[in-house]
Amino acid sequence: DIMWALVVALLVVAITPTTMVHASKSRVLPQTGALHLYPPTKVGFFHNVVDHFQYTSAATFPQKYMVYDKFWNQSGPIFFYFGNEGAIEDFYDNSGAMFELAPDTGALIVMLEHRYYGVSLPLGHQSANSGDTLRFLSIEQALADTATFLSHKAEVLGCHSATKVVLFGGSYGGMLAAWFRYKYPHLSSGALAASAPVDLYPGQGKAKVFLSATMDTFRNFGSAQCAQALDDGLQRVAVLGHYASGRAILSDRFRVCGGVHTARDVDRLLLYIKGALATLAMLDYPYPTTFVTPMPADPVAVACAKLLSASADQSEASVLEGLNTAMNVFLNWTGALGCHNVSLELVGATPSVVRHRPAAPGSALGAIYRTWNYQACTELILEPLTSDGNGFFVEDDDQVQQVEAACRELYRTVVTRAQWMLQSFGTGKDLIEHATNTIFSDGEKDPWKVGGVPYGARSRDGTAFHLPIQGAAHHQDLRFSSPLDSESLTQAPAVERLHIRRG
């Protein structure tokens, strides 16, 4: 139908090589966000069920949602966005593609905040206090929240009960969109799961592939020399970590809060650095952003230039300084971070160093360290927060037990179910094979594509498929279009209009 054809049209791209618009980046300004261009016409709270999977309590909590209805013609679809790990305002502000699509379909835009994030707190301000108060934070509960909300769309949104729903989500939100289509297919007509790592589980050996994908981005969008310098720097960190004097050097060169004293501290530092580099690669947008944390345009190229300049003489000190300078393009672009707190890494963490921490300086998502790491500890063990709570990295399989031990120390009562989501929804190959009307898009720059569905895969009926996007970063296809987008992204609007006319 026209709604699904339109979503397909948004993401169908040419298979030509990446071509970037040639423009001076020295004066590139950040994109204006949707909150400014299209301020919500309604902000409401839906009383959702605290625990969807028991029958002894009817307790509810206020779950925030945001609506934009100025494109809506009463007969158009609902464009529904799955809230991610943060306040819903940030995702509203950074999901401009929905606002560019909506006028042509007369769509109603609706975004629902994820439980335990922003102000949607099932147990009020005590929600994140302990493993016990966090017990209602799960993927299953989040999917059920959306099922309940959409089942009441007529009374909440003023639409018809038969109004069709097209799902949108990026990253974790894309995972939710894909899994929702699979579990509750009757409540939507299609989904865009952008940059959704739905196939990332222990035992798959994904950590090395993830790091390799990160280096590919630095190689292809920085330089081969840059990627080699990063690899050399990481190896030097590992070597220096073997002896006390080397750990003292690491403490100084990387400005580590409290220093690097043990082998476990070195493990944490390495994960911290890798998380910063991987997240920098995934967020390699061609314009400045404040999504996650403030960064310049083309941060990979900026980081490479700083790295190569700082490490020009190839001395040990300069190589380490170059690596520190490169990762700070992501971690400390504003200069507000006084030191790097590697003690927050879950690899090798102990009760004395894992703490409930506030949001990192400049973080747009808010204080998500405790809530997201609870989700990592329970169902998404390969996706813990790193790098002062702003980054992500996939730990090695032989580090998973360390993370699980840290989880027990941090949340006391938590039990990790590392294979549960795999048992529930299968591998990426399983998921797409049985899916319908779902697009799984992945950007070329994004390391998380290694956890997505297989490259170029399609469902049995052909309505669900993988769509690789050349020259694109992490769910860049959900952001407002820009003259600086790759050629692939700039072609989408013309294809979109063609599908609308056909509909």
Side-chain angles (χ1 to χ4, degrees):
D1 58 42
I2 184 172
M3 279 69 71
W4 179 239
L6 186 58
V7 176
V8 173
L10 171 67
L11 287 157
V12 172
V13 294
I15 58 173
T16 53
T18 303
T19 302
M20 299 301 296
V21 174
H22 296 286
S24 171
K25 297 299 178 72
S26 61
R27 297 187 179 183
V28 174
L29 298 176
Q31 286 187 317
T32 302
L35 284 171
H36 176 76
L37 295 175
Y38 305 103
T41 53
K42 178 182 180 181
V43 176
F45 290 86
F46 176 73
H47 289 277
N48 223 322
V49 180
V50 172
D51 186 357
H52 294 278
F53 305 108
Q54 56 77 42
Y55 305 93
T56 59
S57 171
T60 62
F61 73 100
Q63 188 169 21
K64 188 173 185 177
Y65 65 93
M66 305 177 80
V67 176
Y68 188 81
D69 64 8
K70 291 191 177 181
F71 301 132
W72 193 34
N73 61 15
Q74 303 293 318
S75 61
I78 293 171
F79 283 1
F80 179 88
Y81 186 88
F82 269 92
N84 299 46
E85 66 281 18
I88 194 60
E89 287 84 355
D90 193 52
F91 301 104
Y92 187 104
D93 205 36
N94 287 279
S95 299
M98 295 175 68
F99 295 88
E100 293 177 337
L101 264 174
D104 294 315
T105 57
L108 177 68
I109 295 174
V110 181
M111 301 193 180
L112 183 67
E113 190 166 69
H114 195 295
R115 60 169 53 208
Y116 280 89
Y117 294 100
V119 296
S120 298
L121 306 176
L123 300 180
H125 293 298
Q126 309 301 313
S127 295
N129 278 7
S130 67
D132 183 62
T133 60
L134 284 160
R135 68 189 183 277
F136 303 117
L137 175 55
S138 71
I139 290 166
E140 293 80 4
Q141 296 280 9
L143 295 175
D145 283 343
T146 296
T148 304
F149 180 85
L150 291 179
S151 295
H152 291 83
K153 64 188 177 186
E155 55 263 45
V156 176
L157 302 173
C159 61
H160 299 295
S161 58
T163 298
K164 294 188 176 182
V165 177
V166 176
L167 308 172
F168 292 77
S171 196
Y172 171 55
M175 297 158 69
L176 294 175
W179 288 331
F180 190 87
R181 271 298 294 161
Y182 193 82
K183 187 173 180 63
Y184 301 100
H186 59 294
L187 292 177
S188 63
S189 60
L192 162 57
S195 300
V198 292
D199 190 7
L200 201 63
Y201 304 106
Q204 297 177 325
K206 291 286 179 73
K208 290 183 176 59
V209 184
F210 187 84
L211 179 58
S212 178
T214 298
M215 292 304 175
D216 283 345
T217 298
F218 280 92
R219 183 176 298 106
N220 297 331
F221 295 90
S223 68
Q225 185 182 5
C226 175
Q228 185 61 54
L230 290 174
D231 188 59
D232 291 345
L234 290 170
Q235 290 186 44
R236 296 224 189 173
V237 171
V239 169
L240 287 169
H242 287 308
Y243 49 95
S245 59
R247 292 192 289 272
I249 292 171
L250 296 178
S251 299
D252 176 63
R253 291 297 173 184
F254 289 98
R255 287 78 162 170
V256 176
C257 309
V260 179
H261 305 290
T262 67
R264 286 291 173 85
D265 288 342
V266 177
D267 287 343
R268 296 183 190 115
L269 176 60
L270 281 167
L271 195 71
Y272 184 102
I273 296 170
K274 290 176 183 177
L277 296 177
T279 312
L280 195 157
M282 88 177 199
L283 300 176
D284 189 39
Y285 301 118
Y287 34 72
T289 64
T290 56
F291 185 59
V292 180
T293 190
M295 283 202 298
D298 294 325
V300 163
V302 172
C304 283
K306 289 181 173 292
L307 166 68
L308 296 176
S309 175
S311 60
D313 67 9
Q314 291 298 297
S315 67
E316 182 177 272
S318 68
V319 168
L320 296 178
E321 183 58 32
L323 184 56
N324 182 63
T325 301
M327 74 178 188
N328 276 331
V329 172
F330 167 65
L331 288 166
N332 201 19
W333 185 246
T334 64
L337 192 67
C339 60
H340 295 124
N341 191 356
V342 304
S343 73
L344 294 169
E345 305 301 298
L346 291 188
V347 170
T350 64
S352 62
V353 296
V354 175
R355 297 181 292 276
H356 188 177
R357 56 150 292 165
S363 173
L365 299 179
I368 68 169
Y369 176 84
R370 194 165 176 82
T371 44
W372 178 258
N373 272 345
Y374 179 84
Q375 293 196 255
C377 285
T378 51
E379 298 181 305
L380 300 170
I381 195 65
L382 293 188
E383 302 178 42
L385 281 170
T386 65
S387 315
D388 270 292
N390 274 337
F392 296 87
F393 194 77
V394 178
E395 73 270 23
D396 289 322
D397 286 337
D398 61 7
Q399 293 178 314
V400 169
Q401 287 187 342
Q402 292 181 32
V403 176
E404 290 178 351
C407 290
R408 291 191 293 271
E409 293 165 350
L410 182 57
Y411 301 106
R412 301 299 179 186
T413 59
V414 74
V415 175
T416 300
R417 301 180 70 184
Q419 301 294 330
W420 173 240
M421 296 313 295
L422 176 60
Q423 294 164 10
S424 297
F425 295 104
T427 64
K429 180 178 181 295
D430 297 329
L431 185 62
I432 196 168
E433 183 177 348
H434 298 284
T436 58
N437 287 1
T438 305
I439 295 173
F440 296 87
S441 65
D442 282 308
E444 178 188 8
K445 299 178 179 181
D446 187 8
W448 291 99
K449 65 190 176 190
V450 307
V453 299
Y455 187 93
R458 301 186 74 90
S459 62
R460 290 176 176 176
D461 67 0
T463 66
F465 56 94
H466 178 243
L467 185 64
I469 304 178
Q470 299 299 310
H474 196 56
H475 55 69
Q476 191 174 342
D477 45 322
L478 284 180
R479 299 178 64 84
F480 279 115
S481 59
S482 165
L484 299 170
D485 287 342
S486 68
E487 185 176 330
S488 303
L489 286 175
T490 62
Q491 292 187 15
V495 181
E496 169 188 327
R497 287 190 294 271
L498 175 63
H499 277 257
I500 294 173
R501 287 195 295 270
R502 287 178 178 174

